[in-house]
Amino acid sequence: QKEVEQNSGPLSVPEGAIASLNCTYSDRGSQSFFWYRQYSGKSPELIMSIYSNGDKEDGRFTAQLNKASQYVSLLIRDSQPSDSATYLCAVNKIPPGGAGSYQLTFGKGTKLSVIP
Amino acid sequence: EPEVTQTPSHQVTQMGQEVILRCVPISNHLYFYWYRQILGQKVEFLVSFYNNEISEKSEIFDDQFSVERPDGSNFTLKIRSTKLEDSAMYFCATETGGNTEAFFGQGTRLTVV
């Protein structure tokens, strides 16, 4: 059974702080990793994808991947109230660009609340 | 900005009835997916579709479910005889393939009563 585990939260951080979101996955064959943001009642929006061990930065967001530990994280710097949402970690056994690249296994998500 | 369009936004149906959920992909997208999210639960993969056939399907996607692209534009999910536990948000996602982002539609909330 392929599992993606996330702390459901809520994670509360003050405005301007760093929010740290974590995810572990069980399938060692996983090759593609994604972070989505989902506002209540809305569809998931892709924030970042990461495929190689290490860090990947995009604006205020940094994704970190450690395949040996089967661990993915997302850091949000200078958190804003508009970042308040549920953050979904998703993984895929298909390599990036392969057919069905978005056949994803999602975690339940971590609810982030940024306090003004 | 191009977007994936899903209709209807909300559908209420009686148990045992058939429903068809519709998705209009972005025009140059070739890969299509259906996901569902039961209220308070995780997003779950149902099926992927490419070149007019199913590529992969999950154990959720049983004989009650079917997908097709009837007219070369719409991508539909049919649930033959709905059950109470089919109540969920259903998301369509589409992509061009080749290491690009998949775009999710806004979803159809299906309520089975």
Side-chain angles (χ1 to χ4, degrees):
Chain A
Q1 180 80 0
K2 289 170 280 189
E3 297 277 347
V4 177
E5 299 290 340
Q6 296 181 253
N7 187 327
S8 60
L11 173 66
S12 294
V13 299
E15 184 175 354
I18 295 175
S20 177
L21 304 160
N22 305 314
C23 169
T24 59
Y25 59 94
S26 63
D27 187 350
R28 281 201 171 273
S30 299
Q31 301 206 35
S32 304
F33 307 87
F34 305 86
W35 282 100
Y36 284 83
R37 177 175 62 200
Q38 187 177 34
Y39 293 110
S40 181
K42 303 295 186 183
S43 59
E45 301 169 74
L46 181 66
I47 298 173
M48 292 192 69
S49 56
I50 185 167
Y51 308 112
S52 305
N53 280 329
D55 295 0
K56 180 181 177 183
E57 187 173 318
D58 184 359
R60 297 187 295 113
F61 300 96
T62 299
Q64 299 172 316
L65 173 61
N66 183 326
K67 289 184 180 180
S69 301
Q70 295 176 243
Y71 176 86
V72 195
S73 67
L74 180 71
L75 298 178
I76 307 174
R77 287 181 298 281
D78 188 24
S79 296
Q80 301 297 310
S82 58
D83 294 327
S84 298
T86 298
Y87 288 80
L88 311 179
C89 174
V91 307
N92 194 345
K93 67 180 180 183
I94 297 171
S101 293
Y102 280 84
Q103 184 186 321
L104 304 175
T105 300
F106 282 86
K108 282 192 72 173
T110 297
K111 187 168 184 177
L112 172 67
S113 179
V114 181
I115 313 298
Chain B
E1 184 178 306
E3 60 180 22
V4 178
T5 305
Q6 288 186 243
T7 56
S9 56
H10 189 193
Q11 171 117 31
V12 181
T13 189
Q14 290 204 320
M15 192 169 51
Q17 294 297 304
E18 175 184 286
V19 294
I20 298 176
L21 310 183
R22 291 183 169 80
C23 169
V24 178
I26 296 171
S27 62
N28 62 337
H29 285 196
L30 302 175
Y31 294 85
F32 314 114
Y33 308 84
W34 283 103
Y35 287 84
R36 80 171 186 190
Q37 187 175 31
I38 295 170
L39 187 64
Q41 302 297 314
K42 61 184 178 182
V43 178
E44 299 174 290
F45 168 77
L46 293 178
V47 66
S48 59
F49 189 87
Y50 170 69
N51 202 24
N52 283 320
E53 59 183 31
I54 291 174
S55 305
E56 295 283 343
K57 59 183 181 179
S58 71
E59 56 271 19
I60 301 169
F61 194 88
D62 61 21
D63 291 344
Q64 294 285 64
F65 291 89
S66 62
V67 289
E68 64 175 355
R69 203 158 179 232
D71 56 10
S73 59
N74 288 288
F75 175 52
T76 63
L77 174 69
K78 182 192 290 187
I79 309 175
R80 220 174 316 276
S81 177
T82 49
K83 304 189 279 282
L84 294 176
E85 53 264 39
D86 293 327
S87 295
M89 186 77 109
Y90 288 81
F91 295 110
C92 171
T94 76
E95 57 152 334
T96 59
N99 202 25
T100 60
E101 178 181 350
F103 291 83
F104 280 78
Q106 288 308 299
T108 293
R109 179 168 298 284
L110 176 65
T111 303
V112 182
V113 296

